[in-house]
Amino acid sequence: MTDSVRVTTSVRESASGSVIEQIQTLAKDEPSLSLRPLGQLRRALAEGRLAVALNGDRVVGWFLSEQGRCGAPELGFLYVMRGYRDGALFRRMLDLLLTDDLPTVAVTFQPGFAQWAQRTFGFRESTLGEVIWLTRGAFLTRRMTLSRIRAVRAHTSKARPLYLVREVRS
């Protein structure tokens, strides 16, 4: 089913509003996600930091690279619609977002995803302290809004966070 899906970080300007609107609509219905501000998503799409999976004009998945202040980018806000979750779209989106010149961090509550990221992309388990240090504090400051605090509380009450780091590749 994912063969007909296009994965890109570049969307026509005339279509970007529709893409962002679809992401927000889908994210509102997904309890495992914490919404991101519209402006942040628009900037990320314009800067090539939002990988989007499209089946025609329909958004079926996305993955966001949140930039820190001179620190490591954090991968997050990942979603793929049921029926498209065969692993191929995750891989194609990650291929677009990973860079070799900066370490990359991620947090997940899914042990299977953590193991897959380690096996497939060379991530390793880390600690909250290292992730905060690598992102120069941006990891924490991004979570200092009421909606993100609620989401973190909901996530951490159900599962243990797994912190991941992918080292710089030479």
Side-chain angles (χ1 to χ4, degrees), residues 130-149:
E130 182 182 23
V131 167
I132 292 168
W133 182 79
L134 286 171
T135 62
R136 305 295 186 253
F139 183 85
L140 280 183
T141 58
R142 275 195 286 273
R143 285 156 176 81
M144 292 295 114
T145 66
L146 189 55
S147 65
R148 294 291 299 270
I149 290 170

Side-chain angles (χ1 to χ4, degrees), residues 40-53:
Q40 178 188 10
L41 294 177
R42 284 188 196 107
R43 280 188 306 280
L45 187 59
E47 295 168 3
R49 296 183 295 103
L50 180 62
V52 182

Side-chain angles (χ1 to χ4, degrees), residues 117-137:
Q118 290 169 342
R119 237 185 1 262
T120 308
F121 288 97
F123 281 86
R124 65 172 170 76
E125 278 201 54
S126 184
T127 64
L128 173 59
E130 182 182 23
V131 167
I132 292 168
W133 182 79
L134 286 171
T135 62
R136 305 295 186 253

